[in-house]
Each structure stands twice: as C-alpha cells, then as structure tokens.
Amino acid sequence: MIEQYAAPISIEEATRVMQESNATVLAGGTDLMLQTESGKQQFGSTLVNIRHINEISGISIGNNRIRIGALTTISEILGSDKLMELVPVLAQTADHFASSQIRNNATVGGNLCNASPAGDMIIPLLLLDAEAELASWSKGGVVTRLVPVAEFFSGPGKTHKRDDELLVAIEFPVPSFGFIAYFRKSGPRPALEISTISIGVAGALEKEALHATRMAIGAAAPIPLRARRVEALLEGKPLHSALISEAADLAADETLPIDDVRATAWYRKHLIRVFTIRLLNDVIASSD
Amino acid sequence: MSLQVPIEFTLNGRSTRVTVPPDMSALAMLRDKFDLTGTKLACGEGECGACTILVDDVSVNSCLMFAVDCDGRQVQTIEGLRTDQGLDPIQHAFVDHGAIQCGFCTPGMIMQAKYLVQKNPAVSRQEIKRNLEGNLCRCTGYRKIVDAIADVASSLNNVDTP
C-alpha cells in the first residue's frame, strides 16, 4: 500500500527518496496502472512521480552520442526531426507502438523498465548498442552507472536495475555513415498490438553484405535478445537467398519462444523465419 | 485513513484544487470528484479511447493516467470544448456529418480529433485514420467520423489560406 507520495524535481531528490524507501516509480503510468489494478504488481510504500524532473526529459546530441531522457515519450521520439535523420529505425518502431494516446503518455524509460519480452522500443535500442544510465544515491551524492541494454534484462518483467536506482537516460553512439536498420513486428492488427514477435536488423551495407551486423528479436525468449549466432553467420557475406534462408533457420533456432494466448511457440518460430527473410530482403532492397 | 494527495491543476480553463488517493486514475477523478461524466469508462485498459482527454494539449487515455500526474498541468475534457460562442467546430462537424450513433465513443473521438487538428490543421484522411487507431466505435460508424474530422481540417485550411 502507498504510504507516501513524492514528486521530486531533481535526480538528486528522486534518488534520495528511492534510497530511503521501497519506491514505485511513476512515469507515464500506462503499464503501471494496468499492472497494479490487475494485481500483477504491488505498489511499494512510496509512489515517486518523476514527471517534474526536467533533466531526464528530451533528446540531445553531443560528443557523437545521442541521449534520450528516460521521460521522453514515444510521440516525442516519433516527432523528432533529428532522430528521423540520424536513426530512422527509432521513429519507424515508434510509429508501430500502441496508439496515438498511449504514445503521447508512455515513456521510453518506462518501456525499458517494464521489461516486457515484447517491448517494442527495446529492439531498435539493442540494434543501436544503446546503454541505460542508472542513477542512485550513495555516500551523500548521486552516482551513475551505464548498463548495455543487451545486459539490462534478467527475465520477463525483471531487470538488473536495483530498486534504489532510477533510469535517467538511454545513450548510444551516432551511427556512422552507411548504417542501416530495419524493424518489423508481427501481430494480427496494425495498431495497439502486443508483438507476437518483433525483429530488427542493422549494420553497414557494402557490396550486398552487412558489416558490424546486429540482429535483435523480441517476444521470442524470456528477454529481448541479440541473435549473436545469426549476426556471426551474416557478417560480411553477400545476402544471397541461400544465406538468407540459413539465417532464418538459425534465428528460429536461437530463440526460446513460449506458447501463450497470442501464439504457440511453433508459430512464433515460423514467424521468426518469415520475418527474418522479409527484413533481409528490406536490406537488399535498400541497396538498389 | 489512507493517503490523500493534494494537487492543483487547470481543468477546462479554471484553476482547481483537489485531494486524491495516489492510485486513483485521472478518469475516476474527473467522473467521481468533478462529476464530469462526458469522459467515458469503457475498456479501462487503453484499447478503446472513450476516456481520451487532453493534458497540456496532448491526447491521453485518462484511464491509464494517474490523477496525481495532473498536478501542475492543463487538463481539458469534452465539457471544456464548448465556449460562449457555442460548440467547438469539431462538435458541429460530428453533428452535421451524422458521425454519432449510440454516442458512447463520441467524446473520446472528438477529443482525439481536437488533438489531431490542433497539431496539424492540414491533417490528411490517411493520417486521421492512423491516429484514430486507439478509438473504437462499436457501432462501426468510422467513415462519417473520418468525414467529419477531414471536413474540419479542410475548412481550417481554407481559413488559413489568404
């Protein structure tokens, strides 16, 4: 039960409260409301509304790195001209995220901390080698640490973020010239759909081959994951149909989907094969 | 007694103070504390859009928003659209186009339309459809709803064009 409500205006104030009490963080609230109402999640003793911490909101670019504040909404990502120019895959993913109203309130930090294996924004962030910046209060000051998004999740709904840590931003290098990235998600409807599977591929395309290849798959294992074996298979090789077909089989093999209300494990593996082929064909089409 | 949180915000243009339980939704606050029952509870999980309101000029599902998160912000509901001059042009367009059947989705549809037209007065038919994805009409009267919003968008464009 909530015994205390806090609306800090700085990271310092927020992390102090989180250090002193068993806190539940409120950002957009679109997941928190559903999960607490259904009993899937219990409130901690303190509800910490981070809405008024200006320094964790907004998109900035400097030192060849892109920084997205944890409180940035999915709509703000979708509407950012800078992100559209430098990392269009983020906007492409945001465009498939829930509905207009949810995009307007849901935050990128919340999407990460909710740690759904099907969390849409996680896939492009994995492709971009993004890191999560976590802040906590220790020995009279704020300390931060960076955790790669690929190492952030520990299970469905669980992360390696400690309860006293606040996710303040996501950072990644500005992609180099020639970097391409594509995202696709599967579901029976185009909107308001929790992905049956989601998948992304990225790299530098040169002579019909991907270099520094990255592939990420969602809703196909307890956590969204990088498909490292597929990446190694594709690295530097021309994307001929035999290779694409081999990559599709390997992608299905590298995942551990479950049977649930949205799909069977068998069907998810089938979707992963089909969507791997479609994505790699997107890559080929982009080189024409 | 369980915790009550005092908040202050602007509701339909008027400064307002209220105390709310920290886990109350903005929707429950509007309906139960302010008697503003134009904002509807239907699915209660962000799928249907009947509870759409504007917060700082942006549309959100009030069923998924915490009431405490209204603190310090500008909240507008369907009741706030009417001015001394009468109904909002979007409300007129819904009436003129017969874009209302049972009416239950209408407040949410109109608030989402208000957001769309404010954000982009030149919003296209395709963009209108994409941005109504989070609003369900179980009478399935979508065509007339899109017609109404497109009509407002085009008349605003004509006004803006010298």
Side-chain angles (χ1 to χ4, degrees):
Chain A
M1 200 176 80
I2 306 170
E3 291 159 15
Q4 193 192 345
Y5 171 76
I9 57 166
S10 66
I11 294 172
E12 179 180 325
E13 200 187 331
T15 51
R16 285 180 85 142
V17 172
M18 291 172 74
Q19 212 259 327
E20 287 160 8
S21 61
N22 170 22
T24 298
V25 172
L26 166 63
T30 53
D31 279 317
L32 185 65
M33 180 67 82
L34 290 177
Q35 292 176 3
T36 50
E37 272 191 347
S38 67
K40 191 181 161 199
Q41 186 185 344
Q42 307 297 319
F43 283 110
S45 58
T46 305
L47 183 67
V48 182
N49 180 0
I50 60 173
R51 172 74 61 193
H52 304 283
I53 310 176
N54 289 333
E55 57 192 312
I56 63 170
S57 191
I59 299 156
S60 58
I61 298 162
N63 292 330
N64 212 32
R65 285 179 77 78
I66 297 173
R67 184 179 172 87
I68 304 177
L71 206 55
T72 308
T73 65
I74 309 304
S75 288
E76 284 164 347
I77 288 174
L78 184 56
S80 163
D81 293 338
K82 275 201 173 131
L83 289 184
M84 183 51 106
E85 180 196 332
L86 297 171
V87 276
V89 70
L90 277 177
Q92 192 194 357
T93 308
D95 192 38
H96 291 93
F97 189 104
S99 65
S100 167
Q101 289 96 321
I102 291 178
R103 288 192 291 272
N104 282 341
N105 214 10
T107 65
V108 66
N111 199 228
L112 250 72
C113 291
N114 189 48
S116 163
D120 280 340
M121 297 311 293
I122 298 164
I123 298 301
L125 292 173
L126 284 171
L127 297 178
L128 293 162
D129 264 342
E131 294 176 303
E133 185 180 317
L134 305 176
S136 58
W137 184 260
S138 173
K139 294 175 188 149
V142 174
V143 292
T144 60
R145 65 179 178 126
L146 286 173
V147 178
V149 171
E151 293 161 25
F152 185 65
F153 306 102
S154 54
K158 294 195 178 75
T159 71
H160 290 295
K161 182 181 83 60
R162 297 192 313 268
D163 288 345
D164 67 322
E165 284 181 312
L166 178 69
L167 173 65
V168 295
I170 293 118
E171 277 199 18
F172 49 91
V174 175
S176 48
F177 183 75
F179 175 88
I180 54 158
Y182 291 98
F183 169 87
R184 279 178 179 261
K185 72 187 260 188
S186 162
R189 331 174 266 183
L192 272 164
E193 190 57 77
I194 296 171
S195 300
T196 314
I197 62 114
S198 56
I199 187 161
V201 71
L205 185 63
E206 208 179 309
K207 292 177 187 153
E208 293 179 16
L210 280 170
H211 300 265
T213 313
R214 297 167 198 171
M215 179 176 269
I217 307 178
I223 60 171
L225 48 83
R226 282 277 293 270
R228 308 273 182 190
R229 283 160 58 203
V230 183
E231 293 176 0
L233 173 73
L234 292 172
E235 182 62 31
K237 298 194 194 101
L239 291 168
H240 296 150
S241 58
L243 180 67
I244 290 177
S245 164
E246 198 183 338
D249 287 342
L250 190 57
D253 191 52
E254 201 164 357
T255 53
L256 284 167
I258 55 166
D259 292 323
D260 71 7
V261 66
R262 278 183 287 282
T264 61
W266 175 88
Y267 183 57
R268 283 200 164 89
K269 282 195 181 260
H270 170 72
L271 287 172
I272 291 162
R273 281 192 201 93
V274 170
F275 277 76
T276 301
I277 292 167
R278 286 188 189 167
L279 265 185
L280 292 172
N281 283 324
D282 288 344
V283 171
I284 294 169
S286 74
S287 69
D288 293 342
Chain B
M1 199 183 123
S2 61
L3 182 66
Q4 295 281 323
V5 179
I7 57 171
E8 279 186 54
F9 61 102
T10 306
L11 177 57
N12 293 330
R14 287 188 183 173
S15 329
T16 309
R17 289 177 183 208
V18 68
T19 57
V20 289
D23 58 351
M24 181 181 245
S25 71
L27 174 64
M29 173 185 74
L30 292 169
R31 292 181 61 86
D32 301 341
K33 295 265 180 187
F34 294 101
D35 225 8
L36 294 174
T37 53
T39 307
K40 301 301 181 195
L41 167 64
C43 76
E45 50 186 44
E47 298 278 335
C48 78
C51 68
T52 302
I53 59 170
L54 302 188
V55 178
D56 293 338
D57 290 328
V58 160
S59 63
V60 300
N61 297 114
S62 62
C63 74
L64 297 184
M65 183 177 180
F66 284 71
V68 288
D69 200 16
C70 292
D71 193 27
R73 304 175 80 186
Q74 305 268 344
V75 176
Q76 194 178 19
T77 68
I78 187 75
E79 290 88 350
L81 282 196
R82 197 179 198 287
T83 63
D84 292 343
Q85 282 77 49
L87 295 179
D88 187 273
I90 293 173
Q91 293 173 304
H92 270 301
F94 269 63
V95 174
D96 293 346
H97 284 269
I100 302 159
Q101 290 181 55
C102 86
F104 204 80
C105 74
T106 309
M109 288 283 182
I110 288 177
M111 295 313 283
Q112 179 64 8
K114 182 80 185 166
Y115 164 68
L116 280 183
V117 172
Q118 268 179 3
K119 194 171 79 154
N120 177 14
V123 64
S124 70
R125 239 186 128 78
Q126 188 54 32
E127 287 167 321
I128 292 168
K129 285 185 184 171
R130 277 292 328 263
N131 283 283
L132 287 182
E133 285 171 344
N135 294 78
L136 300 181
C137 167
R138 289 300 75 192
C139 308
T140 70
Y142 294 104
R143 174 184 279 267
K144 289 174 184 227
I145 292 167
V146 175
D147 287 346
I149 301 169
D151 193 14
V152 174
S154 65
S155 65
L156 284 174
N157 287 336
N158 291 339
V159 170
D160 288 344
T161 313

